[in-house]
């Protein structure tokens, strides 16, 4: 693939990768909401649901949606969110690439505003941030503590000064994303973190965007995944140190 087709009426066409693992309870409504927002954006787009080894009815639920822009890819066994995103990126073709989780936690209504930032060439990527002053966030105190700890550790261990690296909504220009994504080693939840570290090191202009977060407990991200993400963070920091030493 080499970006949007030449006669595309919208040069800022968007590919959306939706990684999903056992999201049967929410994936259909989540995709319908996403497609509805994108239909109103006035640009070419495609949405690729990547079922990461789901063992429930995720694919079956998604398959009930009749929309020309929606494609579904599945594989087994479960390989981790990072693997799903990398697989999805490789199968998309438009100049802007978005990641969007398959649960209902994040409201897609913020997407048009993010796209305006990219269309105006004010950034190479926009990442959703619970810390953005315009964000509307409702989620449990346990998740808030985990998020705060992770943000602090991220700054301490890898020097990445973003308020939030783990929110599952990001839009990045393909020309800066592709190489960084293919080089990223982490298959788990810290894929986002390693990717952002690589983009930051390459001088990409990454800004934070507001989100509307309503944590509804359908998400597959549990506290255990939080500790797993911290382990991934330590692994990324070790890789980062080796790189900075020129090893």
């Amino acid at each position: 693939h080499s970006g949007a087709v030449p006669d595309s009426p919208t040069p800022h066409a968007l590919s959306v990768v939706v990684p999903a693992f056992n999201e049967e309870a929410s994936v259909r409504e989540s995709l319908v909401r996403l497609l509805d927002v994108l239909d109103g954006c006035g640009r070419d787009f495609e949405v690729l649901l990547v079922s990461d080894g789901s063992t429930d009815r995720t694919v079956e639920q998604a398959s009930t949606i009749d929309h020309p822009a929606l494609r579904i890819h599945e594989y087994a066994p479960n390989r981790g969110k990072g693997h799903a995103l990398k697989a999805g990126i490789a199968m998309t073709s438009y100049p802007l690439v978005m990641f969007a989780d398959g649960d209902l936690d994040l409201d897609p209504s913020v997407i048009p505003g993010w796209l305006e930032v990219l269309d105006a060439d004010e950034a190479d990527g926009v990442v959703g941030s619970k810390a953005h002053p315009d964000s509307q966030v409702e989620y449990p105190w346990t998740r808030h503590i985990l998020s705060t700890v992770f943000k602090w550790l991220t700054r301490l261990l890898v020097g990445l000064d973003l308020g939030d690296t783990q929110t599952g909504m990001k839009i990045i220009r393909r020309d800066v994303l592709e190489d960084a994504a293919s080089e990223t080693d982490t298959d788990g939840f810290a894929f986002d973190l390693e990717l952002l570290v690589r983009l930051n090191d390459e001088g990409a202009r990454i800004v934070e965007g507001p989100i509307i977060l309503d944590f509804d407990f359908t998400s597959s991200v549990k506290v255990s995944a939080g500790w797993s993400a911290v382990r991934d963070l330590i692994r990324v920091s070790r890789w980062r140190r080796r790189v900075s030493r020129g090893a």
Side-chain angles (χ1 to χ4, degrees), residues 18 21 43-44 46 55 57 71 86 92 106 146 156 160 173 175 180 184 188 219 227 230 245:
V18 181
F21 174 61
R43 69 185 66 213
D44 292 339
E46 59 181 351
T55 55
R57 297 169 63 241
R71 291 185 289 138
K86 280 188 280 190
T92 59
L106 292 166
L146 274 175
L156 179 72
L160 190 63
R173 281 186 20 220
D175 55 355
T184 300
S219 172
W227 297 122
V230 170
R245 286 200 302 264

Side-chain angles (χ1 to χ4, degrees), residues 142-143 145-147 149-150 153 166 189-190 220-234:
T142 49
R143 287 288 295 263
I145 289 172
L146 274 175
S147 181
V149 169
F150 199 83
L153 287 171
Q166 295 307 104
F189 282 101
S220 59
V221 184
K222 302 293 189 287
V223 170
S224 59
W227 297 122
S228 174
V230 170
R231 286 195 299 273
D232 283 344
L233 171 61
I234 292 168

Side-chain angles (χ1 to χ4, degrees), residues 96-97 99 114 117-118 121-129 132 160-167 169-178 180-181 192-210:
L96 298 176
V97 180
F99 306 155
W114 290 19
V117 172
L118 292 165
D121 196 28
E122 294 169 10
D124 298 316
V126 180
V127 300
S129 173
H132 192 284
L160 190 63
D161 196 16
L162 285 173
D164 191 353
T165 60
Q166 295 307 104
T167 295
M169 194 183 285
K170 297 171 175 63
I171 307 178
I172 303 169
R173 281 186 20 220
R174 173 180 296 280
D175 55 355
V176 301
L177 169 68
E178 229 161 7
D192 299 59
L193 171 64
E194 185 182 342
L195 177 67
L196 289 172
V197 169
R198 288 181 181 274
L199 289 170
N200 184 64
D201 288 351
E202 290 167 12
R205 299 168 299 158
I206 306 297
V207 300
E208 296 183 85

Side-chain angles (χ1 to χ4, degrees), residues 25-161:
S26 59
V27 71
R28 190 182 194 284
E29 185 183 344
S30 178
L31 286 171
V32 167
R33 285 169 53 183
L34 175 64
L35 289 162
D36 185 53
V37 169
L38 295 174
D39 277 332
C41 284
R43 69 185 66 213
D44 292 339
F45 70 89
E46 59 181 351
V47 175
L48 177 64
L49 176 77
V50 181
S51 174
D52 177 33
S54 295
T55 55
D56 64 355
R57 297 169 63 241
T58 294
V59 170
E60 187 181 331
Q61 288 291 320
S63 298
T64 64
I65 300 171
D66 181 19
H67 194 292
L70 177 64
R71 291 185 289 138
I72 298 170
H73 175 69
E74 59 179 318
Y75 57 79
N78 174 257
R79 299 283 300 275
K81 181 182 176 183
H83 182 88
L85 289 171
K86 280 188 280 190
I89 293 166
M91 286 182 281
T92 59
S93 55
Y94 285 146
L96 298 176
V97 180
M98 177 175 173
F99 306 155
D101 285 350
D103 57 40
L104 290 166
D105 289 355
L106 292 166
D107 190 327
S109 64
V110 298
I111 294 170
W114 290 19
L115 290 171
E116 285 179 12
V117 172
L118 292 165
D119 290 348
D121 196 28
E122 294 169 10
D124 298 316
V126 180
V127 300
S129 173
K130 294 184 287 292
H132 192 284
D134 295 333
S135 289
Q136 302 169 37
V137 177
E138 289 182 38
Y139 69 140
W141 64 269
T142 49
R143 287 288 295 263
H144 182 73
I145 289 172
L146 274 175
S147 181
T148 303
V149 169
F150 199 83
K151 170 183 165 182
W152 178 78
L153 287 171
T154 300
R155 193 170 295 172
L156 179 72
L157 294 175
V158 296
L160 190 63
D161 196 16

